[in-house]
């Protein structure tokens, strides 16, 4: 899912690719999109973009003398699970291009497209930044930090820290993969109470202020100590910056996509081999290592990402404890025809996930009975004829 870094990278992409391009005509919406029409038409206009947290604002600015006379129009986008912008030829539009801005003639016609495969993305004409969202973790760090520490009495911080990190009122721009990477680096259990984690930052801040004013430390030592021991709120700012500095498109686990290769190499926790995962109260999967914390959901099923060596071993023919899919389905089909006592016996043992494959003599005996029954039926049919 696109998060703060991806929205920021998308705004950079729009500004770089649309610089110098003149757009014209109507804004075209696909027939299947449920988003509103964009009431804008101009013979010549420019497009620029800016991002704030998990929102991107596209501004359509008519050029002097453009017809009909228009005021600039702002569109605010939220990318949902798969939104992105692409610049393509007007003759070969990408699939799922649900909003299209065409360049003006006479140059070869291009289209800036909002592409959204899953159609969870949204746009709002004449939109403003969503008022309930907090300061951007990337671009408004000081305001973001102050907003969190001054509101620790809010009920949101009664929840586990992994759930609080997705609350856009306080952590605007943080999403599923970022929360996993931040908590992993600090070795914070994801289901530790959020207030417990964040109140400790206030005490740490007082200690840091004393150290910063200590005459015994040089300036370089103070800076080094701060960089080597970042707190949670500092990582909410610096970790997204790392993703932005990678370039490319940021988030993406699609294999074979070169734009996502740097991002996959950067990941340490999210979806990585050897990591555990649990679903939080909202059904979102959190990846972590070690103890989940005191507020972990009761009865939650832990899942562990298989290591790369396990996959390689399976590919090289190393025997695995669980039977392959084909033998499983074949076993279940054969067991379906077993006498009831045999099926009950294999269920009672419960030694494996799946019952053992029946022995060869049992299969031969069954085939013999089937052939004999078939022979008798064929004789009876002949007699009836």
């Amino acid at each position: 899912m696109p998060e703060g870094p991806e929205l920021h990278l998308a705004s950079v992409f729009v500004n770089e690719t649309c610089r110098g391009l003149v757009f014209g005509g109507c804004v075209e919406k696909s027939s299947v999109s449920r988003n509103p029409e964009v009431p804008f038409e101009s013979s010549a206009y420019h497009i620029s973009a800016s991002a704030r947290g998990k929102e991107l604002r596209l501004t359509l600015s008519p050029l002097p003398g453009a017809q009909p006379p228009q005021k600039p129009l702002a569109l605010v986008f939220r990318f949902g699970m798969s939104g992105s912008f692409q610049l393509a030829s007007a003759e070969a539009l990408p699939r799922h291009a649900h909003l299209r801005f065409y360049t003006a003639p006479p140059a070869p016609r291009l289209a800036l497209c909002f592409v959204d495969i899953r159609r969870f993305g949204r746009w709002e004409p004449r939109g403003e930044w969503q008022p309930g969202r907090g300061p951007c973790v990337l671009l408004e760090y000081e305001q973001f930090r102050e907003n969190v520490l001054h509101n620790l009495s809010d009920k949101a911080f009664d929840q586990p820290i992994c759930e609080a990190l997705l609350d856009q009122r306080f952590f605007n721009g943080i999403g599923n993969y970022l929360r996993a990477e931040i908590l992993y680096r600090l070795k914070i259990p994801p289901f530790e109470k959020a207030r417990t984690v964040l109140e400790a930052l206030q005490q740490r801040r007082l200690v840091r202020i004393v150290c910063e004013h200590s005459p015994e430390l040089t300036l370089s030592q103070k800076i080094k100590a701060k960089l080597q021991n970042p707190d949670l709120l500092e990582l909410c700012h610096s970790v997204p910056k790392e993703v932005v500095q990678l370039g490319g498109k940021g988030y993406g686990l699609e294999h074979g996509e070169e734009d996502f290769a740097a991002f996959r190499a950067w990941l340490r926790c999210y979806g990585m081999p050897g990591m555990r995962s649990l679903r939080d109260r909202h059904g979102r999967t959190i990846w972590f290592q070690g103890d989940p914390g005191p507020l972990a959901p009761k009865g939650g099923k832990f899942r562990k990402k298989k290591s790369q060596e396990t996959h390689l071993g399976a590919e090289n023919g190393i025997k695995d404890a669980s039977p392959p899919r084909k033998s499983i389905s074949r076993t279940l089909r054969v067991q379906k025809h077993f006498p009831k006592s045999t099926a009950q016996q294999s269920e009672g043992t419960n030694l494996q996930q799946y019952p053992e494959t029946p022995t060869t003599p049992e299969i031969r005996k069954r085939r013999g009975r089937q052939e004999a029954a078939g022979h008798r039926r064929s004789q009876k049919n002949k007699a009836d004829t």
Side-chain angles (χ1 to χ4, degrees), residues 201-220:
L201 300 189
Q202 292 179 322
Q203 301 297 326
R204 185 177 176 181
R205 186 182 183 186
L206 293 174
V207 174
R208 179 176 288 180
I209 290 172
V210 172
C211 292
E212 287 177 354
H213 289 83
S214 173
E216 299 176 0
L217 297 176
T218 64
L219 179 61
S220 60

Side-chain angles (χ1 to χ4, degrees), residues 350-369:
N350 199 25
L351 295 176
Q352 291 183 331
Q353 186 178 358
Y354 302 99
E356 293 182 0
T357 306
T359 57
T360 305
E362 289 174 332
I363 296 175
R364 287 176 181 171
K365 189 185 296 184
R366 170 130 185 96
R367 286 177 181 169
R369 287 200 299 269

Side-chain angles (χ1 to χ4, degrees), residues 326-370:
K326 290 185 179 179
S327 62
I328 291 168
S329 58
R330 192 180 299 119
T331 302
L332 294 176
R333 286 200 302 271
V334 174
Q335 185 201 3
K336 194 174 179 181
H337 302 288
F338 272 7
K340 189 175 181 181
S341 59
T342 310
Q344 288 175 345
Q345 187 178 10
S346 51
E347 284 178 6
T349 57
N350 199 25
L351 295 176
Q352 291 183 331
Q353 186 178 358
Y354 302 99
E356 293 182 0
T357 306
T359 57
T360 305
E362 289 174 332
I363 296 175
R364 287 176 181 171
K365 189 185 296 184
R366 170 130 185 96
R367 286 177 181 169
R369 287 200 299 269
Q370 287 177 341

